[in-house]
Amino acid sequence: MNRSHLLFLALASSLLACGPKQTNTGIKFVDTDGSQSAANGLFFDMGPVDDRLNTSAGDSQDWRYIIIPTSGRLSVTVNVDDPNMPGAWVLRDPEGRTVHQQSLNPAQGFYEVRSLPVRPGQYYFQISAFESASPYTVGATFEPDPEPVVVAEVEPEPEVEEPKEKVRSSRGSKDKTDKPKKDPKPKTDEPKDDAGAASAGNTKVVGTVTLVTPRDDGTAEITIRGVGGANGVTEGMKGKVEGLSVSVKTTKCYTTKCEAVVSGASARDLREQGKVVFMVP
């Protein structure tokens, strides 16, 4: 075999080894809270928040920090949409010690810890998936310890000598202050304005965007909390984002939240506006 044949065979082998280029057309997940240093906040005045785990996309754990202002009791609830996703969730104190831990069980999707004694500092919530993927919801509430009651000593009041009554002369002028006072007329309650009564027609229902997942085709999947079957919002219903001239269409609805698809708005605009209006007949 001559030299030109050897060069041809070597070139053909290298091309076959490279193979066709693979193109990933799935949803792009960006794991921005996958470590303790990159943890997002979990605030008491915001209510439950939605998030998701996806081990095939590299998003196998999420972290959130919880600021405890004073000594009290902390309660945390976790709801996993797909209970078959294996994993665990942990609460850690400011020193990193585990104060509560639960494994995700296929037999249940709801987990909670109530009235956990805590002290001031920054606690951490961590949830991990060992495989598979699922959305989940996490919320926290806090009740401070009651302040101690301080009983003040009551000092006895000094005795006050009553003034002697003066004898008035019968010839003197009458004291104007002796005239009986007239009772003021009782005020009658004025009728309240009935302008706040609900108008006839459709009912306005407003939800909050709690999760935005951009897709490759320019649309975005969003989770809307505060709307759902409890207030008449159902699958396939259309709504509008307040402040933006874009509409959304629900794809799946639960009791108090819906999933929807929206186009024509960036993820940042959706997070900043955050309100979706539905007119329910």
Side-chain angles (χ1 to χ4, degrees), residues 44 66 68 72-76 113-116 118 140-142:
F44 303 129
I66 306 172
I68 304 298
R73 296 186 177 273
L74 174 67
S75 299
V76 176
V113 57
R114 290 194 173 275
S115 300
L116 180 70
V118 290
T141 57
F142 174 72

Side-chain angles (χ1 to χ4, degrees), residues 4-27:
S4 62
H5 288 166
L6 291 173
L7 291 174
F8 175 77
L9 291 174
L11 179 61
S13 299
S14 63
L15 291 175
L16 290 174
C18 293
K21 186 177 181 180
Q22 300 293 326
T23 302
N24 182 13
T25 59
I27 298 174

Side-chain angles (χ1 to χ4, degrees), residues 221-244:
E221 294 180 354
I222 62 175
T223 299
I224 310 169
R225 180 165 288 281
V227 299
N231 46 29
V233 180
T234 58
E235 180 179 337
M237 187 172 289
K238 292 184 178 181
K240 288 189 176 182
V241 181
E242 281 189 342
L244 301 175

Side-chain angles (χ1 to χ4, degrees), residues 105-126:
N105 189 341
Q108 68 181 97
F110 179 78
Y111 309 87
E112 66 177 341
V113 57
R114 290 194 173 275
S115 300
L116 180 70
V118 290
R119 53 188 174 81
Q122 188 161 290
Y123 284 67
Y124 286 92
F125 165 84
Q126 177 193 8

